[in-house]
Amino acid sequence: MFIGFDYGTANCSVAMMENGTPRLLPLEGNSPFIPSTLCAPTREAVSEYLWRHFNIKPTDQVGEQLLRRAVSFNREEGIDVEPGDLRFGRAALDTYLEDPEEVYYVKSPKSFLGATGLRDVQISFFEDLVCAMMANIKQQAEAETQQDILQTVIGRPVNFQGIGGDKANEQAESILTRAAKRAGFKDIIFQFEPVAAGLEYESTLEKDSTVLVVDIGGGTTDCSLIEMGPSWRNKEDRRASLLAHSGCRVGGNDLDIHLAFEQLMPMFGKDSTLQRGIAMPVTQFWNPIAINNVVAQSDFYASANRAVLEQLMRDASEPEKIARLLRVHRETLGYQIVRCAEELKISLSERDNAHIDLPIVQEVLSANVTSQQLADAIANPVAKVSELVNEALAQSATKPDAIFMTGGSARSPILRALLESTLPGVPIVAGDFFGSVTSGLARYAEKSFR
């Protein structure tokens, strides 16, 4: 059996074909979408859990070395890795929120794929993270279908990272391939996510059209200019229909991070000064919320940084704010701050003002944000999206007949207004914000594996 697999930055989903129509399969309760999150008692528990409870072994010496270190660490710490210790999706988030200091939590491992400067052991660990998530999703899908799922088409962005080029993309695709094989898939094909979304939209067209597909996901934004319609629908080789591609590592997570930085981090000391009137170092307020940056997270949560923060608090003109930042360091609360920013962003897609309460240990902080403040905060990532659209249009020198928007952040009125101003008069069609890519991948899988 085959499925389309959207291993997303924000959410994951899979779909099968049923009577010629994609059907998204439930992965967490009745929901077909499972947040791309994982929680474990320790970082090392992930690798041991794969081996001990999923019966998934390493496939190379680096992976074996990582597993041996993990088992040794957990044994020395007196930690028994039991069934159910590895949690995914909303269950992972709930576990993290209950006691952030006592668990290992990761959101959006896809954000790290293709990152430069990674050591072999880091790449192997990311492979374990992805493999664990894929194995869990495969198990849930097989429980629903009562069939072994051995073939899959996995979606991928045009570019996983903003830097690194082809080498970074090859590294990311290699991690996904090895993880999927270890999770039990035998035949694996990749398809660009915006192309997959376009295939789903194509199924609704009654005449041939040139469509600009803008897929604004959690970690990346991709633009594809595609010829589609009845005369293209049944062709297996669609290379001639792809007129242009552009993409980079900017997406919904970046909008959340920029909003958190501008509107929430001032409560933790951003924009404040030392007693001598010197501005606080900006990186101390960016790094804890840069959840898609391995180096930034490592630098902020390093034990050596605690002493730096303590000194900043002693020298601060508003020490109570830096005390909150210390709590963020101690309790690993960066994810919570970004999550609150995401809730603000979603609320502001429907109204002009939004309020959020942010619990920090025994204190509850409150913030009120307007749609204009959101627009100001995310101006930089929005400008990058604009560059991608213009790049795709320049590659083909063709004006589209329609714009098809998909991805969670496609709901943003700010991004919709951007496309309206870039291509005035071109109709904008909104697809299933979360399911279009998955459905398109299932349609492509049917053509590939039938």
Coordinates of all heavy atoms in Angstrom, one line a residue, residues 123 144 175 397 417 431:
I123 N 23.9 14.8 12.9 CA 23.1 14.4 11.8 C 22.4 13.1 12.1 O 21.2 12.8 11.8 CB 23.9 14.2 10.5 CG1 24.4 15.6 10.0 CG2 23.2 13.5 9.4 CD1 25.4 15.6 8.9
E144 N -5.2 2.4 11.2 CA -6.4 2.9 10.5 C -6.8 2.0 9.3 O -7.9 1.7 9.1 CB -6.3 4.3 10.2 CG -7.4 4.9 9.3 CD -8.7 5.0 10.0 OE1 -8.7 4.9 11.2 OE2 -9.7 5.2 9.3
I175 N 18.8 12.5 5.0 CA 18.3 12.2 6.4 C 16.8 11.7 6.3 O 16.5 10.7 7.0 CB 18.3 13.5 7.3 CG1 19.8 13.8 7.6 CG2 17.6 13.2 8.6 CD1 19.9 15.2 8.3
A397 N 8.9 34.7 -16.8 CA 8.3 35.9 -17.5 C 6.9 35.6 -18.0 O 6.5 36.1 -19.1 CB 9.2 36.2 -18.7
A417 N -2.5 40.2 1.2 CA -2.4 41.6 0.7 C -1.2 41.8 -0.1 O -1.1 42.5 -1.1 CB -2.5 42.6 1.8
G431 N -6.7 27.1 -0.9 CA -7.0 25.7 -0.8 C -7.2 25.3 0.6 O -7.3 26.1 1.5

